[in-house]
Amino acid sequence: MLPLITRTELLSRMEAGTVVVVDTMPVAYFEKEHLPEARNIPGFPYEQAAEFTDQLAPTVLPDKTAAIVVYCANTPCRNSEFVGRRLIELGYKNVRKYREGIEDWVAGGLPTGSSS
């Protein structure tokens, strides 16, 4: 399992500009709602997560030393685990997971963005 980050710590890191946030939901979900400034690497369908990560990571995450946080919908969602593990396999050095995902973010009354 990936190292975890809490909502409070993630918010603090986002406000400081010291983390790159990666939404691992399918594109349609990402476009509808995501954490502010999040980038998208879909982790679903699961069997395509590695392929999507291989294709998109060089453009979406050009700095392999950056602090990266992956997330998906909620705790049971596995997208972020698949994408995060693949990022580590590709040589990314600092990858953590916001396990509770966007559902927890919204429940905490925090803002989201959309692509529409």
Side-chain angles (χ1 to χ4, degrees):
M1 188 157 106
L2 297 170
L4 302 177
I5 189 169
T6 65
R7 177 189 343 138
T8 303
E9 185 181 354
L10 176 56
L11 178 60
S12 175
R13 301 282 310 270
M14 289 170 68
E15 289 173 343
T18 59
V19 67
V20 179
V21 180
V22 177
D23 181 302
T24 63
M25 298 294 288
V27 174
Y29 289 90
F30 172 79
E31 288 176 348
K32 181 179 176 190
E33 183 176 45
H34 52 263
L35 271 61
E37 306 299 319
R39 302 168 188 190
N40 185 230
I41 298 178
F44 188 85
Y46 300 137
E47 55 278 349
Q48 290 183 278
E51 177 186 343
F52 291 147
T53 305
D54 291 354
Q55 289 173 356
L56 297 171
T59 304
V60 173
L61 303 167
D63 181 0
K64 290 189 175 186
T65 64
I68 298 167
V69 172
V70 293
Y71 76 91
C72 54
N74 50 35
T75 301
C77 183
R78 297 169 49 203
N79 302 5
S80 56
E81 189 70 27
F82 286 114
V83 171
R85 276 192 271 148
R86 185 62 183 157
L87 289 171
I88 291 169
E89 290 169 1
L90 292 172
Y92 289 84
K93 307 293 183 206
N94 187 2
V95 180
R96 294 169 74 186
K97 176 176 151 179
Y98 175 34
R99 176 176 50 197
E100 297 79 10
I102 195 164
E103 285 183 9
D104 177 70
W105 187 265
V106 170
L110 297 168
T112 59
S114 70
S115 301
S116 51

